[in-house]
Amino acid sequence: MPGDSDLEIEEAFRRAQKAHNNKAKLVASLKNRYNKLEDKTEFHEEFVRCLKYAMIIYTREPAVENVIDFVTRFAASFETPVNENPDEEEEEEDENEFLNFLLNFLLESHGANSHAVRFRACQLVNKLLGSLSENAQIDDDLWDRIHEAMLIRVTDKYPNVRIQAALAMSRLQDPSNVDCPTIKAYMLLLENDSNPEVRRAVLSCIAPSATTLSKIYKRTRDVKEKVRKLAYQVLAEKVHIRALSIAQRVSLLHEGLSDSADSVKEVVKTHLLPAWLRMQQGDVLQLLHRLDVENCAETAVTTLQAIFSMATSPDDLQNGVRALCEFVKNKGNEGEELLERLLPETAIFAEYLYSYLKSITQLSEEQRADMTQLEMVMTQEFIGQQLILLVGCLDTSEEGGRKRMVAVLQEILLMPNTPTSLIGLLVEKLIGILRDDAQKIQMVAEIISDVREPILPISEPVDENEKRRKQVKLAEVRVQIMEAKQTLEECISCQDFSRAAELKDSISQLEELKNQLVLEASQSADNIKEQRVEKSDAKTLLKCLTMCAELFKQMNIKRGICPTMNALIESLILPGVSNPNPAVRNMAVICLGTAALHSKDLANTHLVLLLQITQLDEPKIRISALRALVDQLLLNGLILQDKPAPVSQDDSNEQPEHQAEEESTVQSILKMLSEFLDSEICELRTETAEGLAKLMYCGRILSPKLLSRLVLLWYNPVTEDDQRLRHCLGVFLQLYARASRTNQECVEESFLPTMRTLFNAPVTSPLSEVDTSNVAELFVELTRPSALVQPAAVQAVSVHDSLAVRVCNEILRDTSAPEVRLYCKTLSWLEINTEPGPANSDLQLLLKDILQEVKDKHSIRIIEKLCNQLNGDRCSKSAGNQDTTLQNLDDHNGGGTSYESFSWFVCKKASTAKNGKKAELSSDESDEENVPEEPPSVRPSRRAKMAAIDKTKQDLTALMNQEANSS
């Protein structure tokens, strides 16, 4: 090929490095040169030679990226439109010759030893396939080879290579094919790839289908914020709401809107919710129909509030009245006007609430077996619940409306057909309206009294003799009246008016006597009197206990126990604890636990009772008692320890009796809680673990043994399906260890007991399946001094220093044990203080003893390296490695070495081999950097471009000039 041609290609590559050059002109010029050539072979070779300079550079340098873009544009320019005329097929094949050649070259290079070459090969394949039109045609054999090569590269060691391979396969997937290898590879990467950027890359290009949807959905629970965010974006843009089950929809909204990352919450608000609303033509009510509103009311309210927060005007706020009222009320003075338009007056609303709750259907036991009627009643109760919640949004400052609402709530609570599920909410709203604490307690106590002892009409037995006597007396009076009237008529006819006046008075007295006798006769016939009757049925007791529990819950615990509350405890709660009905007993235990929070004396009095209930009753009641016990210990409790605190010599002669009893109670509680961790009842085990986590985090318990039990429980395969337990312990361990050095010391003390338990676990035990290396890594991370929220002042001995001594002593116990290798590996992970001092000297002596005793070569190398670090050789060694690395980079980038003097396929591997493990780690670390996304749409100025080019670390011109000079 003539020299001008060589310079033309090389010059094109030189100019392509500069961002300000017009690449379209470069492509047109180079293509014009290519079309004039009859023999394309030498052009291909020269083009590839220049391209190799870019392919051996791994970092995302601007000059290299510009060259990659130029090559992509040039190769894509040879694509010809699809033509159905068979006579022109031969011309199309000629036009695609360069594209096919370049793809073949990349496929030959994808298996290179250098990860830089593999990365650039996959990147170019990705860009080339992405730049082709939708109806582009590629040879079937070449297409299959590309597919096979990318399937190999998605399993590459380096994440950036896997990212480019995954992106390249986006046009190779077939969602309709269940056995599509690309889809299978994508799903494998989504579930198992440890690098979050790889998972993001797969999410961005995987096609949603019935097979892949569940995998995409799971990524909304990814540990990395960016992955979760992209998963929600993909679901919003590519998945219809009907493709998701109701449970999945509710879960997406609940977890997305309560995510710990603000960016994830924002993407749910701005992408997912608007997309779902568009699918429902903007109808919020239709969207609510797509959710299980009755069972997930809180999620529905949170969703509505998110929708309302995006509204730009009051006219956009039209749906979801209850949630809207709460949203507007939270706005304060800004929302008063709109709230007045949304809600009626308090008195009017009170009447409507009373009429609706009064109309709720009452079902018999037979009717409850009919699911249709049961669902109807459940819907009515749900609507009633929403109406009650609206009470909190009403304006109760007006005296008349407030009094009427209080009266209505009282009447509703007294109604026998008020559902038990609404009692607590009604009491909460009633207490919220009242202002005086004494009035709150008195009113709820009166309602409880009226419900438990209502005024009822009662019939009494009748005495027949007395009844007969009264009847005879009544008959005599009637006869006397008749005789007196007859005599009166005679006196009037005889004009004896004085006698007539006397008879008239006598008749009046007899009439009064007759009326009295008639009234007594009618009362004796009915024989009904009104009086209070105590009811002891389960429904009544449950209703009263629910009101009592809500009262104790709403009152300030600093107020203490008043006589009225104490009377409720004695007459209602304590008898309810021994009631035969389980629901009544459970609510009574809840009341007792809540009441105990108001008085420490009351808590100590009934502590033994709660302990008995946690061990003897039904699981649900035991859990309630356990919660009450944990709450009591959290509020009033003791600083429980495995062993009693050391007593000073002055006080060690005689220990107070009450202190011994207190320690005995403490030990019994610890023993009981420890036994509950092994319970076969999943809910009880989870509640115990959560309670212990709370107690330890608050400093009420300081126990390495219990902490070890919690760690083992977290790793135990038996608890794999208990998501609540796993989540609780996972969060607790991180927060607990980061809180203080004292907590880290507790973690340190629990390390060896935990590891011994795992090492000694029999084969039949589930603990034998636990990865002990992972457990050791956890303890190392939890005890890092840098992990503390508030790092303590510099201390001579860190937690890792103490842990290192413990591990060394454990190794020396049995140097031939199989766990010695893991212990030595653990030592290499610790951040040990290398400053001279007693701790350093003691640790070095232990390490020397280990070197003499241990025979395992791998362990010996680790210990020797650690000894060198403690002796101060670490800095010089790392400096030497760094110098070697820099020298290799200089040799690689220039320094008199021409391109042909080394194999570009193995250059990176040679550098890694010289630098040993250090070089390999540095490569991995650099690989962990995120692949830059597409550049922003804002175009920088020419001056900014030139400044960026000047700062570029890698420039291909130096390498290309060097070879030109040498030739």
Side-chain angles (χ1 to χ4, degrees), residues 97-157:
E97 180 183 357
F98 180 80
L99 180 60
N100 293 339
F101 163 76
L102 183 59
L103 286 172
N104 279 307
F105 166 73
L106 296 174
L107 292 178
E108 292 171 0
S109 307
H110 86 89
N113 292 331
S114 170
H115 63 280
V117 176
R118 299 197 302 272
F119 168 64
R120 294 300 178 183
C122 293
Q123 183 188 26
L124 279 167
V125 171
N126 171 34
K127 287 182 173 290
L128 284 172
L129 293 180
S131 62
L132 299 179
S133 61
E134 293 184 1
N135 57 353
Q137 290 186 351
I138 295 181
D139 182 68
D140 291 342
D141 294 337
L142 180 59
W143 188 266
D144 292 338
R145 288 178 58 202
I146 295 173
H147 202 176
E148 293 173 2
M150 294 302 102
L151 285 173
I152 295 173
R153 291 278 66 80
V154 292
T155 61
D156 196 276
K157 173 184 176 182

Side-chain angles (χ1 to χ4, degrees), residues 720-732:
E720 185 175 0
D721 296 331
D722 194 344
Q723 295 184 2
R724 180 188 167 196
L725 174 66
R726 288 289 180 98
H727 177 73
C728 170
L729 293 180
V731 173
F732 158 72

Side-chain angles (χ1 to χ4, degrees), residues 339-352:
L339 195 62
E340 289 178 0
R341 284 192 289 163
L342 291 171
L343 289 174
E345 294 181 2
T346 304
I348 298 175
F349 184 84
E351 297 299 333
Y352 178 78

Side-chain angles (χ1 to χ4, degrees), residues 571-609:
S571 63
L572 180 63
I573 297 177
L574 292 178
V577 172
S578 58
N579 192 280
N581 187 280
V584 174
R585 286 204 310 277
N586 184 53
M587 186 55 67
V589 170
I590 294 174
C591 288
L592 182 60
T594 310
L597 299 177
H598 292 258
S599 171
K600 191 171 183 178
D601 294 336
L602 181 66
N604 292 332
T605 302
H606 299 293
L607 176 62
V608 177
L609 176 61

Side-chain angles (χ1 to χ4, degrees), residues 619-637:
K620 185 177 180 180
I621 305 174
R622 293 173 65 186
I623 291 172
S624 298
L626 180 60
R627 288 175 181 168
L629 180 63
V630 171
D631 289 341
Q632 179 180 336
L633 294 177
L634 284 171
L635 182 65
N636 308 318

Side-chain angles (χ1 to χ4, degrees), residues 57-62 64-65 116 119-120 926 929 953-954:
I57 298 175
Y58 182 68
T59 55
R60 304 299 292 264
E61 303 291 346
V64 181
E65 297 302 316
F119 168 64
R120 294 300 178 183
S926 65
E929 296 178 1
K953 298 178 182 179
Q954 296 281 0

